[in-house]
Amino acid sequence: MVPDLSPSFCARLREAFRTAGYQADDVVDLLGSEAHAALGRGEPEPARRASLDGGQLGTLVRLFLLGDAEPVADVRAALAPLSLDEAVAAELLAPAESADQLRAGLDVRPHGTDTESWWVIADLDADQRRGQVRADHVLGVGHASLSLARATARRPVDTLLDLGTGCGVQALHASGHARRITATDLAPRALALAAGTFRLNELDVELLAGPWFEPVAGRRFDQVVCNPPFVVGPPRVDFVYRDSGLAGDGASALVVNQLPGHLTEGGTGQLLASWLHVRGQDWADRVSGWLPGGDAVDAWFVQRDVADPALYVGTWLRDAGIDPRSPQGREQSSAWLDWFEANDVAGIGFGFVTLRPAPAGQGQVVCEDLRHAFDDPLGPESAAWLDRVDWLRRNGSADRLLAARLVVPPTVALEEIAEPGEDGWRTVVRRLHRGDGPGWQQELDELAAALLAGCRGAMPLADLLDLLAFGHGLPTDALVAAALPVVRDLVRYGMVVPAEWLPAGQASGVDTAGAR
């Protein structure tokens, strides 16, 4: 059985929410920043207290965000013009322990960005259900979905595919930059709740049922986003939101392998993925081996975390509402850990993958471990990374690169660390920092630092190298041969960019900071 969230039902629910002010900014205003932050940490009491004088909005906050049972009369007033009978029949509401109270039957919450506000319909999580989630549980707005949303490029596109849409979070975020959106899912319940999410937000999304890429066979899209059931382990399906039925990291491998074939020329794909760290095998070799053959794909694999198998199993059991200490939890933990041991699994990597079709034989594949903390979302950086790879493909030859005018962006700085010596301070480390994006760092020698100091867009790289060679008494050919690989790397990571990419006056040269 799936909820019947008809267009007329969603229209009346939307009217009720708007009348009560049940929207992201209004909820924050009601609760205050401290109580709202506490709620995000799983501490509901400050929000409960702040909502008590909130009228109908307070009722909806306690009902849907805190999981409280509320008086029937208050719920009726807060949801008008939607009738309570309709709401119970559609699973929006459920009976409480007391006959004169009702609880939420579904998780319906405001969700937004700085410029957009939506409502998302999903299933109640294990905490609100006070027990194990159902096998066809539809996950709501969580850390993984928010991470993917932040890691997705937002340049305008005509067509976008949200593969495995779940409750529809990625499609909502895509509505700001994609003209036409297609969303797929295997689970009937997920399709029903996603349909409700789209109707509630008055979005026109093409919804298709079926596994993986089957519903869109033969079609291509300008952008594909995917938050697949990426949990790794034995080939079984206990919960459809996390388990694919494929052994190990087979779900991530399948999507990485098949996604490029569904992209238009210049189209991009971005997904969350997990991969096994197998003893004796480099994780980068493993994930790059998933790509379709022919070296015709640009691929950027970003590893954000590596989990210990025991911690990983416990985390996912608790996520589904299973106590690892219970008989069921012990049985599943044992089977899961046995599988990891039998397959020499030392850890489980997690991160993001960006893909784009490339000319045959010219694809660039980079696997990076970015487990350090950084604040900037990866979405803009992923698009810029592809731009830089494309520029290098066209301009990376020696002749073209030497003719390029390059600049150091204003977000880049050079740190120098020195130690005292007999003749004064002696520099022991020169490190280039990007203050935006993933916060990349690159150590340089004295000559590279001097070269970058001249990268202000006024002179071609060849002229800068001639001057540097003359000033240091070095053979120009040898300096060019040594410099070009370094420059290519610096361009790839946005430490140096073509002058035409920056508005006039924004080149910084390189500032230095540190001990002297």
Side-chain angles (χ1 to χ4, degrees):
M1 180 179 176
V2 298
D4 182 13
L5 304 172
S6 68
S8 61
F9 178 94
C10 291
R12 291 193 293 280
L13 183 59
R14 181 172 58 251
E15 181 180 348
F17 285 169
R18 286 177 173 168
T19 299
Y22 188 57
Q23 300 181 88
D25 289 344
D26 296 309
V27 169
V28 175
D29 290 342
L30 172 66
L31 300 182
S33 57
E34 291 185 4
H36 187 261
L39 181 60
R41 298 192 301 267
E43 303 167 14
E45 191 56 33
R48 184 173 291 111
R49 290 169 178 261
S51 72
L52 292 177
D53 295 327
Q56 293 177 359
L57 175 56
T59 298
L60 294 176
V61 165
R62 293 189 298 276
L63 187 70
F64 290 115
L65 300 186
L66 307 184
D68 290 354
E70 291 293 300
V72 169
D74 291 349
V75 177
R76 179 182 290 110
L79 290 181
L82 189 67
S83 77
L84 297 187
D85 287 343
E86 286 181 292
V88 171
E91 299 186 31
L92 180 68
L93 299 176
E97 292 79 3
S98 174
D100 62 350
Q101 292 184 319
L102 289 166
R103 290 187 178 277
L106 294 172
D107 184 323
V108 187
R109 63 184 57 220
H111 172 62
T113 65
D114 292 340
T115 58
E116 300 285 350
S117 181
W118 308 289
W119 299 281
V120 178
I121 304 176
D123 277 323
L124 301 173
D125 62 22
D127 289 339
Q128 286 189 313
R129 288 177 62 90
R130 297 171 175 81
Q132 182 176 319
V133 302
R134 51 191 297 155
D136 59 353
H137 175 74
V138 180
L139 200 63
V141 182
H143 176 72
S145 58
L146 292 177
S147 296
L148 179 58
R150 285 170 53 84
T152 299
R154 299 293 170 197
R155 294 177 178 177
V157 296
D158 184 44
T159 57
L160 180 141
L161 170 64
D162 177 10
L163 184 73
T165 189
C167 66
V169 173
Q170 303 309 318
L172 290 179
H173 283 269
S175 65
H177 74 281
R179 192 171 72 86
R180 291 179 291 164
I181 301 172
T182 298
T184 70
D185 209 287
L186 172 67
R189 187 172 181 85
L191 291 168
L193 296 190
T197 293
F198 301 146
R199 290 166 184 159
L200 191 56
N201 293 286
E202 300 181 278
L203 292 181
D204 182 15
V205 176
E206 178 189 28
L207 266 175
L208 301 176
W212 304 115
F213 290 95
E214 288 185 18
V216 292
R219 295 175 60 180
R220 293 178 182 267
F221 300 86
D222 298 324
Q223 189 172 15
V224 177
V225 295
C226 181
N227 182 6
F230 54 72
V231 173
V232 305
R236 55 188 289 174
V237 179
D238 295 316
F239 303 98
V240 295
Y241 76 92
R242 70 172 203 197
D243 304 322
S244 68
L246 301 174
D249 45 18
S252 297
L254 184 151
V255 177
V256 169
N257 181 263
Q258 296 187 16
L259 192 153
H262 292 272
L263 292 173
T264 58
E265 183 178 354
T268 59
Q270 293 175 293
L271 67 141
L272 288 176
S274 289
W275 39 81
L276 299 176
H277 280 242
V278 178
R279 294 179 182 86
Q281 182 185 55
D282 190 322
W283 74 271
D285 292 338
R286 183 179 188 86
V287 299
S288 59
W290 297 345
L291 294 165
D295 296 326
V297 178
D298 292 326
W300 187 31
F301 293 89
V302 174
Q303 182 166 259
R304 292 292 285 138
D305 194 17
V306 178
D308 173 79
L311 178 62
Y312 184 83
V313 169
T315 297
W316 283 107
L317 288 176
R318 283 186 288 270
D319 184 76
I322 300 172
D323 186 346
R325 298 165 298 182
S326 68
Q328 179 187 11
R330 292 176 61 187
E331 179 184 357
Q332 291 195 16
S333 294
S334 180
W336 214 331
L337 292 172
D338 284 348
W339 189 91
F340 282 150
E341 185 174 347
N343 289 274
D344 290 326
V345 175
I348 299 93
F350 170 84
F352 308 101
V353 185
T354 297
L355 304 167
R356 180 183 63 183
Q362 298 183 41
Q364 296 293 308
V365 179
V366 176
C367 302
E368 297 188 277
D369 198 326
L370 297 182
R371 281 183 273 175
H372 61 275
F374 56 86
D375 293 330
D376 280 15
L378 276 176
E381 186 63 28
S382 65
W385 186 88
L386 290 172
D387 289 344
R388 296 191 297 265
V389 166
D390 192 51
W391 188 88
L392 284 170
R393 189 157 33 233
R394 290 180 283 106
N395 299 279
S397 66
D399 289 346
R400 294 186 67 89
L401 191 57
L402 288 169
R405 298 173 187 266
L406 302 173
V407 297
V408 178
T411 57
V412 174
L414 180 66
E415 172 191 30
E416 292 191 346
I417 300 175
E419 63 182 13
E422 293 183 0
D423 298 323
W425 293 103
R426 181 175 66 88
T427 299
V428 293
V429 175
R430 294 178 182 85
R431 185 181 297 118
L432 207 60
H433 289 263
R434 259 191 66 185
D436 59 348
W440 270 306
Q441 301 180 15
Q442 177 72 40
E443 291 195 10
L444 303 174
D445 60 19
E446 181 181 2
L447 286 175
L451 175 63
L452 293 185
C455 287
R456 298 175 179 269
M459 299 173 64
L461 180 62
D463 291 351
L464 293 175
L465 289 169
D466 281 342
L467 289 173
L468 191 64
F470 178 78
H472 288 76
L474 298 172
T476 300
D477 290 347
L479 184 60
V480 167
L484 290 185
V486 174
V487 172
R488 290 188 187 99
D489 277 345
L490 293 174
V491 170
R492 184 174 291 109
Y493 293 108
M495 305 286 199
V496 181
V497 298
E500 62 268 23
W501 286 11
L502 290 183
Q506 280 200 13
S508 69
V510 177
D511 295 326
T512 60
R516 293 286 184 180

